[in-house]
Structures are given as C-alpha cells and as structure tokens.
Amino acid sequence: MTRSIVIGAGMVGLATAWHLQERGVDVTVIDRAGVAAGSSWGNAGWLAPAKTIPLADPSVWTYGPRALFDADAALHVPVRVDVSLWSFLARFVAHGTQHAWDTAMAALTPIDKLALESFDELIDGGVDAWTREGPFIVGFSHEKQARGFMRDIAGVIQHGQRVQVERLDDPRALAPQLSGQVGAAYRMDGQRFIEPGPFVHALAAAVEERGADMRVNAAVTNVNRTSTPTVTLATGEKLTADSVVIATGAWMPELARPLGVSVRVQAGRGYSFTVDTDEPAAHPIYLPLQRVACTPYDGRLRIAGTMEFVGPDEPLQARRVQAIVNQVRPFMTGVDLDNRHDEWVGSRPVTPDGLPLVGETRSAGVYVAGGHGMWGIVLGPATGKLLAERIVTGRTDPAMAPFDPLR
C-alpha cells in the first residue's frame, strides 16, 4: 500500500483523500485548525455548474472602479500600499475580456460537467450527507437588469452545458422572502445545494472511518523532497510519504511557491450569516446585481456575499456584513436581517486567470489542489477524483489539464 499526506481538511483536500483511499492509498490528513475550518464552512453551498464561471469578465472594467467608491459594493479592495495585492489585481483585471472569459470557460466546462455526479459518487460510497435540487430563484428590480445574467447563461450553454432558465410570473410563490421590489425573476433548474459545513464533516468522518490518520491543530511549515516527499510540522516533527497534496486554499502559496508554483493566489474573502424568516425558505435565492447568494440552512436562510481582497488571516470586518444587509434589505420581506446568527468570513483562493491549480509541482510526488476561487465546494469532489487518478496512475485527465499549477 502506498502512502499519501493531504494537507488541508476542507472539501478539496478531503475529497482527494477519499478518492486516494478508493485507489488503495493509506492517507494522513493534516490541518492547522480543523475540518471545514476555512472557506468550506460558511459559504452558500451552491452546487451550480451553470454559475461556475470565470470571475473576471468585461464588466470588471466598469464595475470595479465604481466599487472602490461604494461602501456597500460587493467588491471591496482596501486603500493601502500593498504591491503584491495591486499586482494581483492588475493581472486579474487584465483577464476581464470576452476572449479571456471564453478561454477560461472552455477550460472549466469539462470539470463543471463532472461536478454533480462526483457528489453522487461520494454519497453512494458511504458519505452520510445529502444534496438537494433547486430551483434557484434569480431576482432583479426590472427586466433590463437581467441582461448580464442571461448573457452569462448563454455563454455557459455555448460552451456545452445544459441549463434550464424560465421566467416566473410570481416569484413569491417559490421564494416568499422576496419583496415587491423584485420586478423580474427567473427559475434556474438542474442545479443543487448542500449545507456545506455538515457535508464536509460527513466527508471527514467517512475518510477517518476508512482508516485515515486525521491530525488537526497541526501546522505544516515546509514541504520538500529529498529521497521521498517530506512534510515538516511546526513542532519539528517530519513525516514522509509516497506523495503529498497541498490543499490549503488561500494559504497555498506559503508551501507551494518554493516548489515552483508561481501563479498568484489571492484571498478573496466572502462573508455570510444566517437569519430567521417568517416563512420557511425552501429554495436558494440569487440577486446577481447585488452579488448575493441565499441558501436554506439549518432552518434559517444563509445570506452570503462580498469579494474582499485582503490577507487571509485579517479579522472579520463588521462593515462588510452591514454592506450585505444594506444591499439585500430592499429586496427581502419577512426576513430578520437585524438579528443575525453565525456571522462568518472565509478566505477563498482566487487566481488571476480564474482557473484552479491542480497537479504536480516541480518537486516530484508533491501536488497542489486549490485556487478554485468561489468554486471550491462545487468542484472539490471532481478535483479530488481527477487528482487521485493522476497521483496513482500518472495519467492526467483532459478535464484537469488546463489547471497545471506550473503554467
């Protein structure tokens, strides 16, 4: 039996561990905090391949400058002297062209198509969790505002996905949380959602039940290869294995950059909270112009939004939570926005070109899996499956090829 060390106990790392076990590999999982301690816990939990699209598009050239002067904008960049951050943003904005969007979308489409069946494979294989079908309710103040959303859907369809979108006459029949300010709405079918924290914990339980050594509250300070891949812990302890996978999200550069992974990874932090509703929330709600995603969660409605480009370990900024509240308040009714629960911030790993980093580093036997931006949950199981195949067989599936971390 071969041995592998997976660093990171989020969706991507645990899915990789599960699929390595499927192929007979003995796995150790290490995390500096715990299971789902990063961006795997408080996100919206959308399994929506139709919206798993490049973050940068031509609108960034007009929306971005306006957002810098709007305290309630979904995009937030602090005014500070930070050469690394502004260098990343320059590269990110440079990908805001239609050609770059189409190139990235063509690269994402094959793994998007694998996303939902990869969740089914985990559940069928013993992960005690669920996924739930939509519909997703998409709301706008008026019809003209839907043009950008419909353009994105058309682009996704053009690249090969099947997406069902239908105009709603009465959106409140499916989403009574929407106020009368929503003058135009659509339902998007063929997508699913989960409660991400419980799902990732169920995945961790399955991995541990299969015999994995789970080591939490264990920080890794270095990964290298001498005769075999070696992981050094903050305590000085060294662990060796036949392969090592770095799946540490926004913290990936700390371990991966010395191994030749030079693509920038910037923390794009998202915020969320849950609220009580007068009527039970049954379906996800999306407000594209406000860039807010809402999901039924544990009897409440989870409201998630914001893309805040700062350091991954900076403290929660209450002003960003208030910005989400200000954005959604006119469009919701029967929702207690002033009595919020589970306020959370998580650091999502964003790359300039919008593509993940999945594959082998310059150090033989050491791999990375991350850089998914907002899509680590939906693409995590498929990523884990493809990477496990590469580690065990040496074969790179065509769906993984565009994500070469040494590009």
Side-chain angles (χ1 to χ4, degrees):
M1 179 178 290
T2 59
R3 294 173 296 114
S4 184
I5 297 171
V6 177
I7 308 169
M11 178 68 89
V12 175
L14 289 168
T16 304
W18 192 91
H19 279 286
L20 285 169
Q21 290 175 320
E22 282 285 278
R23 292 177 173 274
V25 178
D26 186 26
V27 176
T28 296
V29 178
I30 305 173
D31 195 279
R32 67 174 192 164
V35 173
S39 57
S40 287
W41 186 84
N43 63 84
W46 283 20
L47 311 185
K51 290 302 298 173
T52 305
I53 61 179
L55 292 179
D57 62 30
S59 70
V60 73
W61 293 93
T62 53
Y63 176 76
R66 292 200 311 269
L68 293 176
F69 300 97
D70 182 356
D72 289 338
L75 174 64
H76 178 66
V77 182
V79 179
R80 62 173 64 162
V81 178
D82 187 333
V83 175
S84 178
L85 171 61
W86 291 102
S87 176
F88 165 83
L89 289 172
R91 288 171 169 81
F92 180 81
V93 171
H95 285 88
T97 66
Q98 190 61 49
H99 174 73
W101 191 94
D102 282 322
T103 299
M105 192 67 239
L108 287 169
T109 296
I111 196 170
D112 283 353
K113 289 181 174 181
L114 297 174
L116 298 183
E117 65 185 54
S118 298
F119 276 86
D120 293 338
E121 186 171 2
L122 292 178
I123 294 169
D124 293 343
V127 176
D128 185 15
W130 50 261
T131 70
R132 196 163 293 164
E133 295 281 350
F136 285 52
I137 312 306
V138 187
F140 305 90
S141 294
H142 51 79
E143 190 68 39
K144 287 184 179 180
Q145 291 182 344
R147 290 174 180 171
F149 169 76
M150 296 303 292
R151 183 172 57 249
D152 287 344
I153 293 298
V156 168
I157 293 172
Q158 180 183 351
H159 282 279
Q161 289 195 51
R162 297 180 62 185
V163 188
Q164 301 166 272
V165 176
E166 177 185 343
R167 181 75 153 79
L168 289 172
D169 293 328
D170 180 15
R172 284 181 52 80
L174 292 172
Q177 294 77 28
L178 291 176
S179 74
Q181 292 294 317
V182 176
Y186 295 80
R187 63 178 289 166
M188 181 171 63
D189 289 286
Q191 320 298 305
R192 306 185 203 172
F193 66 95
I194 61 173
E195 292 185 348
F199 192 103
V200 176
H201 276 277
L203 177 56
V207 169
E208 188 168 17
E209 287 169 7
R210 289 168 150 209
D213 180 14
M214 301 289 293
R215 303 185 62 165
V216 298
N217 298 312
V220 174
T221 59
N222 185 53
V223 178
N224 59 30
R225 180 186 176 93
T226 50
S227 57
T228 58
T230 302
V231 169
T232 304
L233 303 182
T235 60
E237 181 183 1
K238 294 184 183 295
L239 305 174
T240 61
D242 300 288
S243 61
V244 172
V245 178
I246 302 170
T248 51
W251 295 268
M252 179 191 290
E254 297 172 10
L255 299 176
R257 189 176 293 118
L259 305 175
V261 181
S262 60
V263 176
R264 289 183 178 272
V265 176
Q266 169 64 44
R269 303 204 309 174
Y271 285 73
S272 74
F273 50 87
T274 59
V275 292
D276 295 309
T277 59
D278 290 350
E279 298 186 51
H283 306 297
I285 298 170
Y286 182 36
L287 300 174
L289 264 69
Q290 290 70 35
R291 292 169 168 80
V292 170
C294 308
T295 315
Y297 186 91
D298 196 25
R300 298 190 177 103
L301 185 68
R302 171 171 282 177
I303 300 178
T306 291
M307 177 62 76
E308 180 188 40
F309 287 128
V310 296
D313 292 312
E314 295 189 33
L316 180 148
Q317 301 294 324
R319 183 63 186 85
R320 303 313 309 152
V321 174
Q322 188 60 48
I324 298 173
V325 172
N326 295 345
Q327 287 279 8
V328 304
R329 192 183 294 277
F331 303 98
M332 291 196 162
T333 185
V335 175
D336 191 356
L337 293 169
D338 297 319
N339 183 27
R340 298 181 294 274
H341 308 265
D342 307 319
E343 291 188 352
W344 171 89
V345 61
S347 294
R348 301 166 297 201
V350 181
T351 60
D353 61 6
L355 299 181
L357 303 169
V358 186
E360 193 168 24
T361 68
R362 293 198 192 283
S363 183
V366 181
Y367 302 81
V368 295
H372 293 81
M374 296 170 63
W375 320 127
I377 287 292
V378 60
L379 297 182
T383 296
K385 181 176 183 177
L386 297 177
L387 182 57
E389 178 185 10
R390 169 65 179 83
I391 292 170
V392 174
T393 71
R395 176 182 178 270
T396 298
D397 190 286
M400 195 180 94
F403 310 144
D404 183 357
L406 302 179
R407 63 181 182 270

